Amino acid sequence: MKSNVIIKSIILDTICLLYVLLFVYAAVSKFLDFENFQVQLGQSPLLSAFAEWVSWAVPIIELSIVLLLIIPKCRNFGLIAALFLMSMFTSYIFIILNYSSFVPCSCGGILEKMGWNAHLIFNIVFIVLAVLALALEGKSNNNNSIAKKRLTFFKSSAISILSGGAIMAILFLSSEEIIHHENPFIRRYPQHPIMLTRTMDLKFNSYYFAGYVDNRMYLGNYTDPLHVLSVDTNLRHRQVLKISFDPKNIPFKMVKIVVRKPYVYLMDGRVPAIFRGKTTDWKITKELKGSPYFTLAEPVDSTRILFRSNNGKNSAHVIGVFTSDGVSKIKYNTDLLQQQLDGVFDTDGMLLYGEKLQKMVYLYYYRNEFTVADKYTGLIRRGHTIDTITKAKIKVAYLKNGTERKMASPPQTVNAHATISGGLLFVHSKIKGRYEDDKLWDQASIIDVYDLQKKTYLLSFPIYGIEDKKLQSFFVTTTHLYALIGNQLVVYELKSILKKEINMLESTAF
């Protein structure tokens, strides 16, 4: 009988010692590499929104439990607290494995080397040990009846396990709601949403994306506008196409080529002029007469062009639609762009058109806002990128008695480049978020992805530069991402996390 008591005491002491070693090691590891631990929590799919206080609370709670375990009179409370915390950790891993699209690590030390399934088993073993220790602790108290001891044991164990799991589930649901709808500028970086497959040396850096038709990418060239480079999906075959066009002494200044099946468009808003031909023979055969002056333009169909011009009040930017179908028509929506300062620099941005969605998106350069409209410029909704810059940080100087405007100082660019694929908006952001590594921003350009229909942030990923060159522009299809970096055309394969979102949203009506 006495030997049994000694054995139970040894087992109880051993379990408490294991918990002490585990929590001391884990807490010290977190504090020694606290910045990295906080970054990992910030990128967690469960605790992103609460990373700041959770990163401090967890190691402090671990060390507090250690103190309870080493004080004999407090050991029972320490075991209950240890079971509660380990139940939370186990619930965290279970949700990660079953309800999350990516699995960052936030453990530190040797535990960081474990796979997530192994880590789950490890935690379950410690839960069993804590339950065993509570049972042994209860039996060592001879002042209580057997029935009361059992009831206390079952209550404390059940409450610790269930409350730990419930609190983690609540944190997960709350964090998801905050990150996707009320993001406090915390990015999430899943593991490998894109994978580099091939690069092609273009020799020149004057190319731009002109379009994508039938699994071929088309690149225009600012310095040689009548030649288009066609490449296949994997950049294995390239072909230079010559556009047949008689300029008729038109004083072109900035020609841009746009390819939209089955047409190729030749446009210059400074003339202004818009011409159209077929991609079957690459001959420009028709002029869309009556075009207004424009600074940006996106073809919608054979006769309709969405454009941005300076025909607003005080030469402010305004979005319009030009139709050339027998009789030329121009319609402006003066309410689509929202002025903050001067109506020109503060509303500067990118005009995008999703062919399959038949929707346009206007994304501002200098503030965290985008506007979604239909192909007739009718407003559908407004949304925001996750950074906190709601007002353009620019200074405008008025010259020549107010007739000329110039930037008085370099502006802070918020959104540098963007493209639409399916129902997703891909944005090259220039603003560093919370819990992000400086080295990552030195080496890569960060792409944020948004669901246009739900107005929600989804995820982010880096596009690394080549030598000293960084991202110039990019284009996304349903299967690949193409990027222009210096003289290089780079293709990345989209992995399942992005393909799934694009395919799901591509056919969804707003």
Side-chain angles (χ1 to χ4, degrees):
M1 184 70 179
K2 188 176 181 179
S3 61
N4 288 340
V5 172
I6 295 173
I7 292 173
K8 290 176 182 178
S9 178
I10 292 173
I11 294 174
L12 179 59
D13 290 340
T14 302
I15 293 174
C16 289
L17 178 60
L18 288 174
Y19 262 104
V20 167
L21 292 174
L22 174 66
F23 285 158
V24 167
Y25 175 77
V28 171
S29 297
K30 292 177 178 70
F31 279 130
L32 289 177
D33 196 10
F34 184 76
E35 184 178 355
N36 185 49
F37 172 59
Q38 196 171 60
V39 167
Q40 290 171 338
L41 278 182
Q43 296 174 12
S44 163
L46 271 69
L47 301 173
S48 305
F50 312 116
E52 188 167 357
W53 65 266
V54 168
S55 60
W56 286 101
V58 170
I60 290 174
I61 291 173
E62 288 174 336
L63 292 178
S64 299
I65 293 173
V66 167
L67 290 176
L68 292 175
L69 290 174
I70 62 178
I71 300 174
K73 291 182 179 181
C74 301
R75 190 162 61 179
N76 189 65
F77 294 106
L79 287 170
I80 293 173
L83 179 59
F84 168 77
L85 189 60
M86 194 56 67
S87 298
M88 287 189 67
F89 291 163
T90 306
S91 300
Y92 175 87
I93 297 173
F94 179 79
I95 295 172
I96 283 281
L97 292 174
N98 292 277
Y99 301 101
S100 173
S101 56
F102 61 103
V103 285
C105 182
S106 56
C107 312
I110 194 172
L111 301 182
E112 191 173 1
K113 307 302 180 182
M114 282 188 181
W116 284 88
N117 287 305
H119 204 159
L120 180 65
I121 295 172
F122 178 89
N123 283 10
I124 291 173
V125 169
F126 266 83
I127 286 177
V128 172
L129 290 176
V131 172
L132 176 60
L134 281 170
L136 294 175
E137 178 72 11
K139 290 180 179 180
S140 66
N141 188 349
N142 298 318
N143 297 324
N144 298 324
S145 66
I146 295 177
K148 188 175 181 180
K149 285 189 287 184
R150 287 178 178 175
L151 181 62
T152 302
F153 163 69
F154 284 118
K155 275 186 176 181
S156 58
S157 299
I159 290 173
S160 296
I161 294 172
L162 293 176
S163 60
I167 289 175
M168 185 54 66
I170 292 171
L171 289 175
F172 166 59
L173 295 174
S174 301
S175 181
E176 287 295 283
E177 175 65 23
I178 292 171
I179 289 297
H180 291 304
H181 295 94
E182 304 170 19
N183 192 292
F185 205 6
I186 299 174
R187 288 189 171 92
R188 287 181 171 176
Y189 293 94
Q191 296 180 6
H192 312 302
I194 61 173
M195 183 178 68
L196 176 66
T197 59
R198 198 172 178 85
T199 63
M200 175 185 287
D201 188 355
L202 300 176
K203 307 298 182 183
F204 304 99
N205 63 0
S206 53
Y207 285 97
Y208 61 90
F209 292 110
Y212 181 82
V213 176
D214 295 334
N215 296 321
R216 293 195 72 84
M217 176 61 63
Y218 294 93
L219 301 177
N221 193 320
Y222 288 115
T223 60
D224 189 7
L226 293 183
H227 285 87
V228 175
L229 180 63
S230 169
V231 296
D232 68 325
T233 302
N234 295 314
L235 310 189
R236 296 186 181 277
H237 302 96
R238 58 194 293 176
Q239 180 183 6
V240 178
L241 303 168
K242 176 69 167 63
I243 296 176
S244 177
F245 174 62
D246 180 7
K248 301 176 183 178
N249 298 319
I250 298 174
F252 288 106
K253 298 177 181 179
M254 182 62 73
V255 172
K256 184 177 180 181
I257 302 297
V258 178
V259 181
R260 296 275 194 274
K261 186 178 181 179
Y263 301 108
V264 54
Y265 298 84
L266 185 150
M267 304 186 294
D268 190 336
R270 297 183 184 182
V271 175
I274 300 176
F275 291 85
R276 191 191 73 212
K278 290 286 189 71
T279 54
T280 51
D281 56 13
W282 296 92
K283 291 182 179 180
I284 300 297
T285 57
K286 182 176 178 59
E287 180 180 4
L288 278 63
K289 296 182 178 180
S291 165
Y293 287 90
F294 58 87
T295 51
L296 297 172
E298 285 291 329
V300 174
D301 52 39
S302 61
T303 62
R304 187 177 293 108
I305 308 290
L306 287 167
F307 68 92
R308 186 194 72 182
S309 73
N310 293 108
N311 289 334
K313 186 178 180 180
N314 297 322
S315 300
H317 284 141
V318 62
I319 299 295
V321 57
F322 163 61
T323 305
S324 179
D325 188 10
V327 179
S328 298
K329 297 179 182 178
I330 301 173
K331 176 187 174 184
Y332 294 100
N333 185 338
T334 57
D335 298 324
L336 210 54
L337 300 185
Q338 295 183 314
Q339 181 175 332
Q340 291 184 335
L341 297 171
D342 69 321
V344 177
F345 294 117
D346 64 336
T347 58
D348 200 6
M350 296 158 271
L351 178 63
L352 311 170
Y353 182 72
E355 293 181 75
K356 294 183 179 180
L357 288 178
Q358 296 190 1
K359 303 290 185 295
M360 64 148 278
V361 173
Y362 191 85
L363 176 68
Y364 295 99
Y365 280 131
Y366 308 122
R367 53 175 136 149
N368 64 348
E369 185 180 346
F370 60 86
T371 299
V372 183
D374 61 30
K375 61 183 179 182
Y376 306 103
T377 72
L379 176 65
I380 296 176
R381 61 173 59 94
R382 301 186 191 277
H384 292 85
T385 52
I386 60 174
D387 62 88
T388 57
I389 301 176
T390 58
K391 187 173 182 179
K393 295 183 178 180
I394 59 175
K395 291 184 180 180
V396 181
Y398 292 86
L399 308 176
K400 297 181 180 179
N401 296 322
T403 60
E404 184 178 318
R405 280 173 278 201
K406 288 188 176 181
M407 288 281 197
S409 61
Q412 182 176 20
T413 301
V414 176
N415 305 304
H417 309 97
T419 189
I420 301 172
S421 183
L424 300 184
L425 173 64
F426 293 76
V427 179
H428 171 201
S429 175
K430 300 287 283 185
I431 306 297
K432 181 183 174 184
R434 299 170 66 187
Y435 315 122
E436 293 185 4
D437 189 0
D438 290 335
K439 291 183 180 179
L440 177 65
W441 279 82
D442 290 338
Q443 299 171 0
S445 300
I446 304 303
I447 307 299
D448 298 326
V449 185
Y450 300 87
D451 183 327
L452 286 171
Q453 182 174 1
K454 298 178 181 178
K455 294 193 301 183
T456 56
Y457 164 75
L458 295 179
L459 56 91
S460 301
F461 58 86
I463 295 179
Y464 286 91
I466 298 176
E467 296 177 349
D468 61 337
K469 305 298 181 182
K470 282 196 172 184
L471 181 70
Q472 294 170 222
S473 61
F474 68 108
F475 189 90
V476 180
T477 70
T478 56
T479 57
H480 292 82
L481 183 149
Y482 298 85
L484 289 172
I485 304 174
N487 298 336
Q488 301 292 323
L489 173 61
V490 186
V491 61
Y492 299 84
E493 181 184 355
L494 303 186
K495 307 309 289 184
S496 59
I497 187 172
L498 283 173
K499 285 182 179 178
K500 180 181 177 181
E501 294 287 348
I502 291 175
N503 293 333
M504 182 173 63
L505 292 171
E506 194 167 45
S507 59
T508 302
F510 277 34

